[in-house]
Amino acid sequence: MSGALAVGGAIAALFASSLSSSIVAPNPSFEDAPTDRMVIDVVTVNGSGCPLGSAAVAVSPDNTAFTVTYSDYLAQVGVGARPTDFRKNCQLNLAVRVPQGFTYAIAGVNYRGYAYLEEGATATQKAHYYFQGQAETNEGVHRFNGPFDDNWQANDVTELGALVWAPCGEIRNFNINTELRVSGGTSNTAETTSFIAMDSTDGAVNTTYQLAWKKCETDGGDGA
């Protein structure tokens, strides 16, 4: 499914319009982002939560973040749901090219969406991301309990000392694996439907990955 994601100016505009004070902000001790643009190419996209053409990636104009926007990412149980609909997932493999002499890490992630959960139903949003060939994995798990009928937001923040930096001088693919899961629990799934979505009715939400930057050492090491 190579090239299934599209990078476009409309998504960049969507990124700008969706920022708010609740989104994770980079630590002020990080170095300034480089002025040359970073470039993200989509290598592969797989999963029931991101069918062909339903997701997009964009880099913010100031290199401080990139966003992933989904338009068909929904898990549900109950009336109208298929047996396999209780769990949806999406696996993205991105080739990230950064300005020469810099490396980056993911400082925080802001996930947003909408959920409707009957009383007794529960939902889980899970994500982890890592550089290809590296064992370190950052993972976040967020749970929601019914009754719930609203937009939802979840933040993951990585402490400065725990940041995992991309290797300097190399193009290492960046992998993002996400999952949505719903359980009917004690709700009456024969008469009701519960769901969680990584999007909204107006499409004006996305997942924002906040970036930390630092300069590489002159010998091509991991940076100072």
Side-chain angles (χ1 to χ4, degrees), residues 68-181:
V68 180
T69 304
Y70 305 95
S71 61
D72 192 16
Y73 200 164
L74 179 146
Q76 60 180 339
V77 294
V79 178
R82 297 170 298 182
T84 57
D85 285 346
F86 78 98
R87 176 186 179 273
K88 294 295 179 71
N89 75 301
C90 183
Q91 301 175 343
L92 304 179
N93 184 267
L94 309 177
V96 182
R97 294 172 174 83
V98 301
Q100 186 174 3
F102 285 86
T103 183
Y104 75 98
I106 304 299
V109 188
N110 175 262
Y111 306 96
R112 300 170 65 195
Y114 185 85
Y116 178 86
L117 302 173
E118 291 284 341
E119 185 172 359
T122 61
T124 302
Q125 180 268 326
K126 182 186 297 186
H128 68 277
Y129 41 91
Y130 58 96
F131 296 106
Q132 188 171 9
Q134 290 190 343
E136 297 95 339
T137 299
N138 290 315
E139 183 175 41
V141 179
H142 304 279
R143 295 180 174 86
F144 306 90
N145 298 315
F148 189 95
D149 181 11
D150 204 350
N151 293 315
W152 60 267
Q153 181 168 300
N155 296 329
D156 293 332
V157 181
T158 303
E159 295 296 328
L160 181 60
L163 292 175
V164 178
W165 298 91
C168 282
E170 301 179 23
I171 297 179
R172 288 285 186 93
N173 287 3
F174 185 65
N175 296 282
I176 300 173
N177 298 329
T178 58
E179 176 184 313
L180 294 178
R181 186 185 294 261

Side-chain angles (χ1 to χ4, degrees), residues 31-75:
E31 294 187 17
D32 291 339
T35 55
D36 292 340
R37 293 299 303 275
M38 69 183 298
V39 177
I40 298 179
D41 294 322
V42 178
V43 180
T44 59
V45 53
N46 293 288
S48 55
C50 49
L52 185 65
S54 67
V57 176
V59 180
S60 70
D62 59 2
N63 283 344
T64 61
F66 70 87
T67 62
V68 180
T69 304
Y70 305 95
S71 61
D72 192 16
Y73 200 164
L74 179 146

